[in-house]
């Protein structure tokens, strides 16, 4: 009987019709102040960043050649399959937590815990990785201005002679945490302004570069074969999500049921158009074999005598990647907040600021942890903590949207994923395929984190869950 009761407990689901009640507690409310275009800006901020400024050159030189734009299109189609599933849930369950909340409501508590616990690590690591990347650009600019910074502050231990800490990366994590504690309204205004600047820089790159395209550089278009384009898609896929972290802000949207689905789709479409146009310019300006893997656009413009734009592009890269940090730190804090409000983590973390209505406690904790990772781990080791959790979240959301469509077809949906169940199945298959590209070390780290999560769940969360007193039949 004890085993049966445990089985019933881990399968208990959040009741969708009463899900709004979970935000009723005093001191655990989030402020609903985000409009459609602010949400879209957060989504674009999370998607456009390293994909244009780094990954495009990396994939073009060595994996796909000029067909890098095909790689982005393949990744975009696969990501769109998951995005459409997210859009249906965002309109149906406009709550903080994104994939965690969707999984909890449809597949049960253990599935929800599993994906939520996973995203806590993944999103935090992404923030740290992006901070390290920005730090590298910053060092390049400072060095170009002739400044001589002490070696001890220029990188994590083991990354160079005399390196002790990547101070700029650590401080950047704390800065983003500070901005998020100012309140979602002020933070979103900052994000929107920065995203506009980033898009303008990308448009400048495209608008100027298009006049320096040599079509001979497109031949051969598939130098590594069609397979190279698919391999490139596995790499750039991690540049075309971001809307998943943005969807964690559903509870802070003025009209989440109408705006969230649109914001998810708009952000992905805008980003894909910019990605494809930028790839056409990059591979048209310079032979793919000569494109620099780390600063592709800078070298491309130098190759046509426009070196003056190199610094502008470097600044644009810093701005562009900065918004990615904002989006994913927002995401991890909202997942943590939601799990705590549901009782799966201590309620202390779910307390919000009395006037700003943001979870300042978890925000500062995430800021400090990401700062430590960014300051003391090389970028390669930090990056290995990412990726697998996002793909598993996609699998969970795509599976859950199928299950709920057939289990509860009566629920009012402001957006319906088209071509059910083909679209979400495409998302599931592509995500699982990409998981096979991950190294065994990634799986080992994931297994350790998952095992720790199981210990926390059965030692604490299972009994403290807000649904612990419900009978299984009361779940829906």
């Amino acid at each position: 009987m004890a085993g049966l009761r445990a089985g019933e407990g881990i399968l208990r689901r959040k009741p969708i019709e009463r899900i709004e009640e979970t935000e009723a507690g005093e001191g655990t409310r989030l402020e609903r102040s985000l409009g459609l275009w602010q949400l879209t800006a957060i989504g674009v901020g999370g998607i456009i960043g390293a994909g244009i400024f780094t990954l495009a050159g990396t994939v073009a030189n060595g994996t796909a050649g000029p067909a890098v734009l095909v790689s982005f299109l393949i990744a975009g189609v696969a990501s769109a399959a998951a995005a459409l599933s997210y859009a249906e849930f965002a309109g149906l369950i406009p709550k903080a937590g994104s994939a965690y909340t969707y999984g909890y409501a449809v597949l049960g508590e253990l599935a929800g815990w599993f994906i939520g616990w996973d995203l806590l690590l993944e999103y935090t690591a992404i923030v740290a990785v992006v901070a390290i990347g920005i730090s590298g650009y910053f060092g390049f600019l400072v060095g170009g201005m002739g400044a001589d910074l002490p070696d001890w502050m220029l990188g994590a231990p083991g990354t160079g002679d005399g390196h002790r800490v990547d101070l700029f990366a650590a401080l950047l994590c704390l800065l983003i945490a500070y901005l998020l504690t100012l309140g979602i309204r002020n933070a979103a205004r900052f994000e929107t302004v920065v995203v506009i600047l980033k898009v303008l820089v990308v448009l400048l790159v495209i608008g100027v570069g298009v006049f320096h395209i040599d079509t001979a550089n497109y031949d051969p278009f598939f130098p590594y074969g069609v397979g190279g384009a698919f391999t490139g898609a596995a790499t750039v896929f991690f540049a075309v999500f971001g809307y998943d972290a943005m969807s964690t802000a559903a509870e802070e949207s003025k009209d989440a049921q109408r705006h969230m689905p649109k914001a998810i789709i708009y952000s992905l479409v805008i980003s894909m158009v910019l990605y494809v146009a930028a790839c056409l310019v990059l591979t048209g300006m310079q032979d793919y074999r000569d494109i620099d893997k780390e600063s592709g656009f800078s070298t491309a413009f130098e190759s046509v005598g426009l070196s003056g734009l190199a610094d502008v592009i470097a600044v644009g890269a810093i701005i562009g990647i900065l918004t990615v940090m904002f989006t994913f730190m927002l995401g991890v804090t909202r997942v943590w907040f939601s799990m705590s409000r549901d009782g799966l983590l201590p309620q202390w973390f779910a307390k919000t600021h009395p006037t700003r209505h943001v979870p300042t406690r978890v925000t500062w904790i995430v800021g400090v942890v990401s700062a430590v990772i960014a300051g003391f781990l090389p970028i390669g080791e930090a990056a290995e903590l990412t990726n697998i959790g996002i793909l598993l979240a996609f699998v969970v959301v795509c599976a859950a949207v199928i299950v709920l469509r057939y289990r509860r077809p009566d629920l009012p949906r402001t957006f319906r994923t088209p071509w059910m169940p083909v679209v979400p199945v495409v998302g599931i298959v592509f995500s699982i395929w990409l998981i096979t590209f991950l190294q065994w070390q990634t799986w080992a780290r994931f297994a350790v984190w998952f095992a720790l999560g199981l210990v926390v769940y059965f030692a604490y969360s299972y009994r403290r869950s807000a649904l612990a007193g419900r009978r299984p039949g009361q779940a829906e």
Side-chain angles (χ1 to χ4, degrees):
M1 290 298 293
L4 177 61
R5 287 194 297 272
E8 292 172 342
I10 64 176
L11 296 177
R12 55 197 175 207
R13 300 187 298 271
K14 295 181 70 172
I16 294 176
E17 291 89 347
R18 299 173 56 191
I19 206 164
E20 291 295 327
E21 296 177 9
T22 61
E23 69 172 89
E26 188 65 30
T28 60
R29 283 184 180 273
L30 299 174
E31 180 184 5
R32 292 189 178 273
S33 59
L34 300 179
L36 172 61
W37 294 111
Q38 288 175 309
L39 290 168
T40 302
I42 293 173
V44 172
I47 298 172
I48 294 181
I52 281 183
F53 297 108
T54 301
L55 287 182
T58 300
V59 174
N61 184 352
T63 304
V68 61
L69 75 88
V70 177
S71 298
F72 273 102
L73 287 173
I74 294 170
V77 169
S79 186
L84 292 170
S85 299
Y86 271 88
E88 178 165 326
F89 271 124
L92 181 62
I93 307 176
K95 300 292 292 180
S98 186
Y100 154 73
T101 300
Y102 309 152
Y104 197 170
V106 179
L107 302 179
E109 186 170 278
L110 187 60
W113 163 266
F114 165 74
I115 204 64
W117 179 255
D118 196 25
L119 290 179
L120 292 182
L121 175 65
E122 305 292 330
Y123 284 177
T124 302
I126 287 174
V127 171
V129 168
V130 172
I132 297 171
I134 296 177
S135 179
Y137 275 105
F138 177 78
F140 171 79
L141 285 176
V142 172
M145 291 185 291
D148 187 17
L149 297 176
D151 291 336
W152 67 265
M153 61 176 288
L154 296 179
T159 59
D161 292 337
H163 288 184
R164 295 291 180 266
V165 60
D166 193 331
L167 185 62
F168 183 73
L171 292 177
L172 199 53
C173 292
L174 298 177
L175 172 63
I176 297 298
Y178 170 72
L179 290 173
L180 285 172
T181 62
L182 296 179
I184 192 62
R185 190 191 304 270
N186 293 326
R189 286 173 181 166
F190 166 82
E191 172 81 344
T192 301
V193 170
V194 175
V195 166
I196 291 174
L197 291 175
K198 170 170 65 175
V199 171
L200 289 176
V201 170
V202 175
L203 291 176
L204 174 66
V205 168
I206 296 170
V208 174
V210 72
F211 293 104
H212 297 273
I213 289 177
D214 181 356
T215 55
N217 288 327
Y218 295 137
D219 186 24
F221 193 74
F222 290 95
Y224 303 98
V226 176
F230 277 91
T231 301
T235 301
V236 303
F237 183 82
F238 304 112
V240 294
F241 63 77
Y243 54 80
D244 59 319
M246 178 266 285
S247 67
T248 64
E251 205 170 308
E252 290 157 284
S253 170
K254 294 177 183 176
D255 189 354
Q257 291 182 316
R258 288 196 311 115
H259 290 167
M260 286 301 300
K262 292 179 180 178
I264 289 172
I265 295 171
Y266 289 171
S267 61
L268 183 59
V269 170
I270 291 170
S271 301
M272 287 308 304
V273 169
L274 293 176
Y275 273 138
V276 170
C279 288
L280 278 171
V281 168
L282 177 64
T283 55
M285 291 179 67
Q286 191 174 27
D287 186 285
Y288 70 91
R289 289 164 293 195
D290 298 326
I291 295 174
D292 188 275
K293 292 185 177 182
E294 296 182 357
S295 55
F297 282 100
S298 295
T299 58
F301 275 88
E302 286 179 348
S303 71
V304 295
L306 296 175
S307 57
L309 279 175
D311 288 342
V312 174
I313 294 171
V315 172
I318 292 176
I319 293 174
I321 302 175
L322 182 68
T323 61
V324 178
M325 288 185 66
F326 179 96
T327 299
F328 281 97
M329 189 175 289
L330 173 71
V332 67
T333 56
R334 272 41 177 184
V335 170
W336 193 339
F337 165 81
S338 187
M339 293 177 72
S340 300
R341 191 172 57 185
D342 290 337
L344 301 185
L345 291 172
Q347 290 276 351
W348 183 85
F349 296 119
K351 294 296 182 181
T352 56
H353 192 277
T355 56
R356 298 171 188 165
H357 303 292
V358 290
T360 52
R361 293 174 177 177
V362 297
T363 300
W364 278 119
I365 293 173
V366 170
V368 171
V369 172
S370 59
V372 171
I373 295 173
F376 296 98
L377 281 184
I379 190 169
E381 293 184 21
E384 289 175 358
L385 298 174
T386 66
N387 299 337
I388 189 170
I390 308 298
L391 290 171
L392 290 174
F394 281 7
V395 171
V396 167
V397 172
C398 291
V401 79
I402 297 173
V403 171
L404 191 61
R405 181 71 71 88
Y406 290 101
R407 180 193 291 162
R408 297 295 309 276
D410 57 303
L411 290 173
R413 292 168 168 84
T414 58
F415 177 86
R416 299 176 71 87
T417 304
W419 302 302
M420 180 67 72
V422 175
V423 168
V425 167
V426 169
I428 292 172
V429 171
F430 201 90
S431 297
I432 293 175
W433 176 66
L434 287 174
I435 286 175
T436 64
F437 283 86
L438 300 177
Q439 298 180 350
W440 70 267
Q441 293 94 333
T442 301
W443 279 101
R445 289 182 174 88
F446 171 75
V448 171
W449 182 251
F450 178 59
L452 178 61
L454 287 178
V455 172
V456 174
Y457 176 75
F458 286 108
Y460 179 88
S461 309
Y462 176 76
R463 290 173 295 176
R464 300 296 186 94
S465 168
L467 298 184
R470 290 187 185 276
R471 302 174 66 86
Q474 293 177 290
E476 292 188 327

